[in-house]
Amino acid sequence: MASTITDVDLRHLRRAISVSVSARANGNHPFGAVLADATGQVVAEAENTVETGRDVTGHAETNLVRIASAQWTPELLASHTLYTSCEPCTMCTGAIFWSGITRIVFALSVEGLMQFFDTRPDAPLHQMASSRLLTPEDGIEVLGPALESEAAKAHKGFWTT
């Protein structure tokens, strides 16, 4: 199951990073996610909507899973890859697991994200992320970090009060 990050993966990660920049511009936390099918075609994308949606579960990955699971079965989603600007949190990892998606590629690691935190009350302080939660037995491949410096740009100055 172990594979490497490809040029196609990097292109989709850059799109997820772009979506994270859009989320920030729209008044939300800077996180974005993209879903590609088995052929590498992007079929959905979502940004974080925690602030504008007034919903603490409005993370980019969870929003993407909601879109995807409303359209496709877990059996079909098993051939898809979720690309995300930052390593998924515990909640998002659970949603990805239950959706049937079997591959996650992320840009910024949790450790990379933590460098931006201060005492802001809405800063995500839980550090348990997908690479620690999922094992090979779960049938989900987690690859990353990749393009961390690019992904980090969306967070510069955001998490300071």
Side-chain angles (χ1 to χ4, degrees), residues 97-150:
F97 175 85
W98 290 112
S99 75
I101 295 167
T102 59
R103 189 166 183 262
I104 301 168
V105 182
F106 67 90
L108 185 63
S109 67
V110 167
E111 293 80 12
L113 178 64
M114 295 305 288
Q115 71 180 326
F116 295 104
F117 293 157
D118 63 358
T119 58
R120 185 172 162 159
D122 64 339
L125 299 176
H126 196 275
Q127 297 183 41
M128 186 64 70
S130 57
S131 62
R132 292 181 198 89
L133 291 170
L134 298 170
T135 67
E137 293 78 29
D138 293 315
I140 301 175
E141 182 177 35
V142 181
L143 298 170
L147 306 176
E148 278 198 288
S149 61
E150 291 180 38

Short mmCIF file of all heavy atoms in Angstrom, two decimals, residues 97-150:
data_model
loop_
_atom_site.label_atom_id
_atom_site.label_comp_id
_atom_site.label_asym_id
_atom_site.label_seq_id
_atom_site.Cartn_x
_atom_site.Cartn_y
_atom_site.Cartn_z
N PHE A 97 -12.44 8.40 7.51
CA PHE A 97 -12.51 6.95 7.73
C PHE A 97 -13.90 6.42 7.39
O PHE A 97 -14.04 5.44 6.65
CB PHE A 97 -12.14 6.63 9.19
CG PHE A 97 -12.30 5.18 9.55
CD1 PHE A 97 -11.28 4.28 9.30
CD2 PHE A 97 -13.47 4.71 10.13
CE1 PHE A 97 -11.42 2.93 9.62
CE2 PHE A 97 -13.62 3.37 10.46
CZ PHE A 97 -12.59 2.48 10.20
N TRP A 98 -14.94 7.04 7.92
CA TRP A 98 -16.30 6.55 7.72
C TRP A 98 -16.79 6.78 6.30
O TRP A 98 -17.71 6.09 5.84
CB TRP A 98 -17.26 7.17 8.74
CG TRP A 98 -16.99 6.63 10.11
CD1 TRP A 98 -16.49 7.32 11.17
CD2 TRP A 98 -17.18 5.28 10.55
NE1 TRP A 98 -16.35 6.48 12.25
CE2 TRP A 98 -16.77 5.22 11.90
CE3 TRP A 98 -17.66 4.12 9.95
CZ2 TRP A 98 -16.82 4.05 12.65
CZ3 TRP A 98 -17.70 2.96 10.69
CH2 TRP A 98 -17.29 2.93 12.03
N SER A 99 -16.19 7.72 5.57
CA SER A 99 -16.62 7.99 4.19
C SER A 99 -16.23 6.89 3.22
O SER A 99 -16.87 6.73 2.19
CB SER A 99 -16.02 9.31 3.70
OG SER A 99 -14.63 9.14 3.38
N GLY A 100 -15.16 6.17 3.54
CA GLY A 100 -14.65 5.16 2.62
C GLY A 100 -13.43 5.60 1.83
O GLY A 100 -12.82 4.79 1.14
N ILE A 101 -13.07 6.87 1.89
CA ILE A 101 -11.88 7.37 1.20
C ILE A 101 -10.67 6.65 1.77
O ILE A 101 -10.53 6.54 2.99
CB ILE A 101 -11.76 8.90 1.37
CG1 ILE A 101 -12.94 9.59 0.68
CG2 ILE A 101 -10.42 9.41 0.82
CD1 ILE A 101 -13.10 11.06 1.03
N THR A 102 -9.79 6.17 0.91
CA THR A 102 -8.68 5.34 1.38
C THR A 102 -7.30 5.97 1.22
O THR A 102 -6.29 5.31 1.49
CB THR A 102 -8.67 3.99 0.65
OG1 THR A 102 -8.54 4.23 -0.76
CG2 THR A 102 -9.93 3.19 0.95
N ARG A 103 -7.24 7.22 0.81
CA ARG A 103 -5.93 7.85 0.65
C ARG A 103 -6.04 9.32 1.02
O ARG A 103 -6.92 10.04 0.53
CB ARG A 103 -5.44 7.69 -0.78
CG ARG A 103 -4.01 8.11 -1.01
CD ARG A 103 -3.52 7.59 -2.38
NE ARG A 103 -2.13 7.93 -2.59
CZ ARG A 103 -1.71 8.98 -3.30
NH1 ARG A 103 -2.58 9.80 -3.86
NH2 ARG A 103 -0.41 9.20 -3.44
N ILE A 104 -5.12 9.77 1.88
CA ILE A 104 -5.04 11.16 2.31
C ILE A 104 -3.63 11.65 1.99
O ILE A 104 -2.64 10.98 2.33
CB ILE A 104 -5.27 11.30 3.84
CG1 ILE A 104 -6.63 10.75 4.24
CG2 ILE A 104 -5.10 12.75 4.28
CD1 ILE A 104 -6.79 10.58 5.76
N VAL A 105 -3.53 12.82 1.37
CA VAL A 105 -2.24 13.46 1.14
C VAL A 105 -2.35 14.87 1.72
O VAL A 105 -3.26 15.62 1.37
CB VAL A 105 -1.87 13.51 -0.35
CG1 VAL A 105 -0.49 14.14 -0.54
CG2 VAL A 105 -1.91 12.12 -0.98
N PHE A 106 -1.44 15.22 2.64
CA PHE A 106 -1.53 16.52 3.29
C PHE A 106 -0.26 17.33 3.10
O PHE A 106 0.82 16.79 2.89
CB PHE A 106 -1.89 16.39 4.78
CG PHE A 106 -0.84 15.74 5.64
CD1 PHE A 106 0.15 16.51 6.25
CD2 PHE A 106 -0.84 14.37 5.86
CE1 PHE A 106 1.11 15.92 7.06
CE2 PHE A 106 0.11 13.77 6.66
CZ PHE A 106 1.10 14.55 7.27
N ALA A 107 -0.41 18.65 3.19
CA ALA A 107 0.71 19.57 3.02
C ALA A 107 1.36 19.87 4.37
O ALA A 107 2.41 19.34 4.68
CB ALA A 107 0.24 20.85 2.32
N LEU A 108 0.75 20.70 5.17
CA LEU A 108 1.33 21.15 6.44
C LEU A 108 1.05 20.14 7.55
O LEU A 108 -0.10 19.74 7.75
CB LEU A 108 0.74 22.51 6.81
CG LEU A 108 1.29 23.23 8.03
CD1 LEU A 108 2.76 23.58 7.85
CD2 LEU A 108 0.48 24.50 8.29
N SER A 109 2.08 19.73 8.27
CA SER A 109 1.92 18.80 9.38
C SER A 109 1.33 19.52 10.60
O SER A 109 1.35 20.75 10.68
CB SER A 109 3.27 18.19 9.77
OG SER A 109 4.10 19.21 10.30
N VAL A 110 0.81 18.75 11.52
CA VAL A 110 0.33 19.32 12.78
C VAL A 110 1.45 20.08 13.47
O VAL A 110 1.25 21.19 13.97
CB VAL A 110 -0.25 18.22 13.70
CG1 VAL A 110 -0.48 18.75 15.10
CG2 VAL A 110 -1.54 17.69 13.13
N GLU A 111 2.64 19.50 13.47
CA GLU A 111 3.79 20.16 14.11
C GLU A 111 4.10 21.49 13.42
O GLU A 111 4.40 22.48 14.07
CB GLU A 111 5.01 19.25 14.07
CG GLU A 111 4.88 18.00 14.93
CD GLU A 111 4.08 16.88 14.27
OE1 GLU A 111 3.79 16.95 13.05
OE2 GLU A 111 3.71 15.94 14.99
N GLY A 112 3.99 21.52 12.11
CA GLY A 112 4.20 22.76 11.37
C GLY A 112 3.14 23.79 11.68
O GLY A 112 3.43 24.99 11.79
N LEU A 113 1.91 23.35 11.84
CA LEU A 113 0.81 24.26 12.17
C LEU A 113 0.98 24.83 13.57
O LEU A 113 0.73 26.01 13.81
CB LEU A 113 -0.53 23.53 12.06
CG LEU A 113 -1.77 24.33 12.43
CD1 LEU A 113 -1.97 25.49 11.47
CD2 LEU A 113 -3.00 23.42 12.43
N MET A 114 1.43 24.01 14.50
CA MET A 114 1.55 24.44 15.90
C MET A 114 2.49 25.63 16.08
O MET A 114 2.37 26.38 17.03
CB MET A 114 2.00 23.28 16.78
CG MET A 114 0.98 22.14 16.88
SD MET A 114 -0.66 22.63 17.42
CE MET A 114 -0.34 22.98 19.13
N GLN A 115 3.41 25.83 15.16
CA GLN A 115 4.34 26.95 15.28
C GLN A 115 3.65 28.31 15.20
O GLN A 115 4.21 29.32 15.62
CB GLN A 115 5.42 26.86 14.20
CG GLN A 115 4.91 27.16 12.81
CD GLN A 115 5.98 27.07 11.75
OE1 GLN A 115 7.13 27.38 11.98
NE2 GLN A 115 5.58 26.63 10.57
N PHE A 116 2.42 28.35 14.72
CA PHE A 116 1.70 29.61 14.55
C PHE A 116 0.81 29.99 15.73
O PHE A 116 0.26 31.08 15.76
CB PHE A 116 0.85 29.56 13.28
CG PHE A 116 1.66 29.45 12.03
CD1 PHE A 116 1.76 28.25 11.37
CD2 PHE A 116 2.35 30.55 11.55
CE1 PHE A 116 2.52 28.14 10.23
CE2 PHE A 116 3.13 30.45 10.40
CZ PHE A 116 3.21 29.25 9.74
N PHE A 117 0.64 29.08 16.68
CA PHE A 117 -0.32 29.32 17.75
C PHE A 117 0.20 30.25 18.82
O PHE A 117 1.36 30.24 19.18
CB PHE A 117 -0.73 28.01 18.42
CG PHE A 117 -1.51 27.10 17.51
CD1 PHE A 117 -1.55 25.76 17.76
CD2 PHE A 117 -2.20 27.58 16.42
CE1 PHE A 117 -2.26 24.90 16.94
CE2 PHE A 117 -2.91 26.75 15.59
CZ PHE A 117 -2.94 25.40 15.85
N ASP A 118 -0.74 31.01 19.35
CA ASP A 118 -0.48 31.78 20.55
C ASP A 118 -1.61 31.46 21.52
O ASP A 118 -2.01 30.32 21.64
CB ASP A 118 -0.37 33.28 20.22
CG ASP A 118 -1.67 33.86 19.65
OD1 ASP A 118 -2.65 33.12 19.48
OD2 ASP A 118 -1.70 35.06 19.39
N THR A 119 -2.16 32.44 22.14
CA THR A 119 -3.22 32.20 23.12
C THR A 119 -4.61 32.46 22.54
O THR A 119 -5.57 32.52 23.28
CB THR A 119 -3.02 33.09 24.35
OG1 THR A 119 -3.00 34.47 23.92
CG2 THR A 119 -1.72 32.76 25.06
N ARG A 120 -4.73 32.59 21.25
CA ARG A 120 -6.03 32.83 20.63
C ARG A 120 -6.99 31.70 21.01
O ARG A 120 -6.67 30.53 20.82
CB ARG A 120 -5.85 32.91 19.11
CG ARG A 120 -7.10 33.27 18.38
CD ARG A 120 -6.79 33.51 16.91
NE ARG A 120 -8.01 33.45 16.15
CZ ARG A 120 -8.17 33.98 14.96
NH1 ARG A 120 -7.18 34.61 14.40
NH2 ARG A 120 -9.30 33.87 14.32
N PRO A 121 -8.16 32.03 21.52
CA PRO A 121 -9.07 30.99 22.04
C PRO A 121 -9.58 30.01 20.99
O PRO A 121 -9.93 28.88 21.33
CB PRO A 121 -10.22 31.79 22.65
CG PRO A 121 -10.10 33.17 22.13
CD PRO A 121 -8.68 33.38 21.71
N ASP A 122 -9.62 30.39 19.73
CA ASP A 122 -10.13 29.45 18.72
C ASP A 122 -9.01 28.71 18.00
O ASP A 122 -9.25 28.02 17.02
CB ASP A 122 -11.04 30.16 17.71
CG ASP A 122 -10.32 31.21 16.88
OD1 ASP A 122 -9.25 31.68 17.31
OD2 ASP A 122 -10.83 31.57 15.81
N ALA A 123 -7.79 28.82 18.49
CA ALA A 123 -6.68 28.08 17.89
C ALA A 123 -6.86 26.60 18.17
O ALA A 123 -7.13 26.20 19.30
CB ALA A 123 -5.35 28.57 18.46
N PRO A 124 -6.73 25.76 17.13
CA PRO A 124 -6.91 24.31 17.34
C PRO A 124 -5.73 23.73 18.11
O PRO A 124 -4.63 23.61 17.59
CB PRO A 124 -6.98 23.76 15.92
CG PRO A 124 -6.31 24.78 15.07
CD PRO A 124 -6.47 26.10 15.76
N LEU A 125 -5.95 23.40 19.35
CA LEU A 125 -4.86 22.97 20.21
C LEU A 125 -4.69 21.47 20.30
O LEU A 125 -3.72 20.98 20.86
CB LEU A 125 -5.06 23.55 21.62
CG LEU A 125 -5.08 25.07 21.68
CD1 LEU A 125 -5.38 25.54 23.09
CD2 LEU A 125 -3.77 25.65 21.19
N HIS A 126 -5.62 20.73 19.76
CA HIS A 126 -5.52 19.27 19.82
C HIS A 126 -4.54 18.80 18.76
O HIS A 126 -4.73 19.06 17.58
CB HIS A 126 -6.89 18.62 19.61
CG HIS A 126 -6.92 17.21 20.03
ND1 HIS A 126 -6.53 16.19 19.21
CD2 HIS A 126 -7.27 16.63 21.19
CE1 HIS A 126 -6.65 15.04 19.85
NE2 HIS A 126 -7.11 15.29 21.05
N GLN A 127 -3.48 18.13 19.17
CA GLN A 127 -2.42 17.76 18.25
C GLN A 127 -2.51 16.33 17.71
O GLN A 127 -1.66 15.92 16.95
CB GLN A 127 -1.06 17.94 18.93
CG GLN A 127 -0.78 19.37 19.30
CD GLN A 127 0.58 19.52 19.91
OE1 GLN A 127 1.54 18.91 19.46
NE2 GLN A 127 0.68 20.32 20.94
N MET A 128 -3.55 15.60 18.04
CA MET A 128 -3.68 14.24 17.54
C MET A 128 -4.21 14.33 16.11
O MET A 128 -5.32 14.78 15.88
CB MET A 128 -4.64 13.43 18.41
CG MET A 128 -4.71 11.98 18.02
SD MET A 128 -3.17 11.08 18.22
CE MET A 128 -3.04 11.00 19.99
N ALA A 129 -3.42 13.88 15.16
CA ALA A 129 -3.79 14.02 13.76
C ALA A 129 -3.80 12.66 13.06
O ALA A 129 -3.44 11.64 13.63
CB ALA A 129 -2.83 14.97 13.08
N SER A 130 -4.20 12.69 11.81
CA SER A 130 -4.44 11.47 11.04
C SER A 130 -3.25 10.52 10.99
O SER A 130 -3.44 9.31 11.06
CB SER A 130 -4.87 11.83 9.62
OG SER A 130 -3.89 12.64 9.00
N SER A 131 -2.05 11.04 10.88
CA SER A 131 -0.90 10.13 10.77
C SER A 131 -0.66 9.34 12.05
O SER A 131 -0.01 8.30 12.03
CB SER A 131 0.36 10.92 10.40
OG SER A 131 0.68 11.85 11.41
N ARG A 132 -1.24 9.79 13.16
CA ARG A 132 -1.11 9.06 14.42
C ARG A 132 -2.33 8.20 14.71
O ARG A 132 -2.25 7.27 15.50
CB ARG A 132 -0.91 10.05 15.56
CG ARG A 132 0.44 10.74 15.48
CD ARG A 132 0.59 11.69 16.67
NE ARG A 132 1.65 12.64 16.39
CZ ARG A 132 1.48 13.80 15.78
NH1 ARG A 132 0.28 14.17 15.40
NH2 ARG A 132 2.49 14.60 15.56
N LEU A 133 -3.43 8.53 14.10
CA LEU A 133 -4.68 7.81 14.37
C LEU A 133 -4.88 6.59 13.49
O LEU A 133 -5.47 5.61 13.91
CB LEU A 133 -5.88 8.74 14.18
CG LEU A 133 -6.03 9.86 15.19
CD1 LEU A 133 -7.11 10.82 14.74
CD2 LEU A 133 -6.35 9.30 16.56
N LEU A 134 -4.43 6.67 12.27
CA LEU A 134 -4.67 5.60 11.31
C LEU A 134 -3.47 4.68 11.20
O LEU A 134 -2.33 5.13 11.18
CB LEU A 134 -4.99 6.20 9.93
CG LEU A 134 -6.26 7.05 9.89
CD1 LEU A 134 -6.35 7.78 8.57
CD2 LEU A 134 -7.50 6.22 10.15
N THR A 135 -3.76 3.40 11.12
CA THR A 135 -2.71 2.40 10.97
C THR A 135 -2.91 1.70 9.62
O THR A 135 -3.98 1.81 9.02
CB THR A 135 -2.79 1.35 12.09
OG1 THR A 135 -4.01 0.61 11.93
CG2 THR A 135 -2.76 1.99 13.47
N PRO A 136 -1.92 0.97 9.15
CA PRO A 136 -2.10 0.24 7.88
C PRO A 136 -3.32 -0.69 7.91
O PRO A 136 -3.96 -0.90 6.88
CB PRO A 136 -0.80 -0.55 7.74
CG PRO A 136 0.21 0.26 8.49
CD PRO A 136 -0.55 0.86 9.65
N GLU A 137 -3.66 -1.21 9.07
CA GLU A 137 -4.82 -2.09 9.19
C GLU A 137 -6.13 -1.37 8.90
O GLU A 137 -7.14 -2.00 8.59
CB GLU A 137 -4.87 -2.73 10.58
CG GLU A 137 -3.73 -3.71 10.85
CD GLU A 137 -2.41 -3.00 11.20
OE1 GLU A 137 -2.43 -1.89 11.77
OE2 GLU A 137 -1.36 -3.57 10.88
N ASP A 138 -6.14 -0.05 9.03
CA ASP A 138 -7.35 0.72 8.75
C ASP A 138 -7.62 0.82 7.26
O ASP A 138 -8.71 1.22 6.85
CB ASP A 138 -7.25 2.13 9.35
CG ASP A 138 -7.23 2.12 10.86
OD1 ASP A 138 -8.04 1.38 11.45
OD2 ASP A 138 -6.41 2.84 11.45
N GLY A 139 -6.63 0.50 6.43
CA GLY A 139 -6.81 0.53 4.99
C GLY A 139 -6.78 1.93 4.39
O GLY A 139 -7.23 2.13 3.27
N ILE A 140 -6.25 2.88 5.13
CA ILE A 140 -6.15 4.25 4.63
C ILE A 140 -4.68 4.66 4.63
O ILE A 140 -4.00 4.60 5.65
CB ILE A 140 -6.97 5.23 5.49
CG1 ILE A 140 -8.45 4.82 5.50
CG2 ILE A 140 -6.80 6.66 4.96
CD1 ILE A 140 -9.31 5.65 6.42
N GLU A 141 -4.22 5.07 3.47
CA GLU A 141 -2.85 5.52 3.32
C GLU A 141 -2.79 7.01 3.62
O GLU A 141 -3.60 7.79 3.11
CB GLU A 141 -2.39 5.25 1.90
CG GLU A 141 -0.97 5.64 1.64
CD GLU A 141 -0.55 5.27 0.23
OE1 GLU A 141 -1.37 5.34 -0.71
OE2 GLU A 141 0.62 4.91 0.08
N VAL A 142 -1.85 7.42 4.48
CA VAL A 142 -1.67 8.82 4.83
C VAL A 142 -0.27 9.24 4.40
O VAL A 142 0.72 8.67 4.89
CB VAL A 142 -1.86 9.05 6.35
CG1 VAL A 142 -1.68 10.53 6.69
CG2 VAL A 142 -3.22 8.55 6.82
N LEU A 143 -0.19 10.20 3.50
CA LEU A 143 1.09 10.68 2.99
C LEU A 143 1.26 12.16 3.29
O LEU A 143 0.34 12.95 3.09
CB LEU A 143 1.18 10.45 1.48
CG LEU A 143 1.12 9.01 1.00
CD1 LEU A 143 0.99 8.97 -0.51
CD2 LEU A 143 2.35 8.26 1.45
N GLY A 144 2.42 12.53 3.72
CA GLY A 144 2.74 13.92 4.00
C GLY A 144 3.66 13.99 5.19
O GLY A 144 3.95 12.95 5.82
N PRO A 145 4.15 15.13 5.48
CA PRO A 145 3.85 16.41 4.85
C PRO A 145 4.58 16.60 3.52
O PRO A 145 5.58 15.97 3.25
CB PRO A 145 4.35 17.42 5.88
CG PRO A 145 5.47 16.72 6.58
CD PRO A 145 5.09 15.26 6.61
N ALA A 146 4.03 17.50 2.73
CA ALA A 146 4.64 17.91 1.47
C ALA A 146 4.25 19.37 1.23
O ALA A 146 3.13 19.76 1.54
CB ALA A 146 4.16 17.04 0.33
N LEU A 147 5.15 20.14 0.70
CA LEU A 147 4.90 21.56 0.40
C LEU A 147 4.58 22.36 1.67
O LEU A 147 3.78 23.29 1.65
CB LEU A 147 3.76 21.71 -0.62
CG LEU A 147 3.89 20.96 -1.93
CD1 LEU A 147 2.64 21.14 -2.78
CD2 LEU A 147 5.13 21.41 -2.69
N GLU A 148 5.22 22.00 2.78
CA GLU A 148 4.91 22.66 4.05
C GLU A 148 5.11 24.16 4.00
O GLU A 148 4.28 24.91 4.53
CB GLU A 148 5.73 22.05 5.19
CG GLU A 148 5.12 20.78 5.72
CD GLU A 148 5.64 20.41 7.09
OE1 GLU A 148 6.81 20.00 7.19
OE2 GLU A 148 4.86 20.54 8.06
N SER A 149 6.19 24.62 3.42
CA SER A 149 6.44 26.07 3.42
C SER A 149 5.37 26.80 2.60
O SER A 149 4.95 27.90 2.97
CB SER A 149 7.84 26.40 2.90
OG SER A 149 8.00 25.94 1.58
N GLU A 150 4.90 26.19 1.52
CA GLU A 150 3.82 26.80 0.74
C GLU A 150 2.52 26.84 1.54
O GLU A 150 1.81 27.84 1.54
CB GLU A 150 3.61 26.03 -0.57
CG GLU A 150 4.75 26.17 -1.55
CD GLU A 150 4.52 25.40 -2.84
OE1 GLU A 150 3.36 25.35 -3.33
OE2 GLU A 150 5.50 24.84 -3.36
#
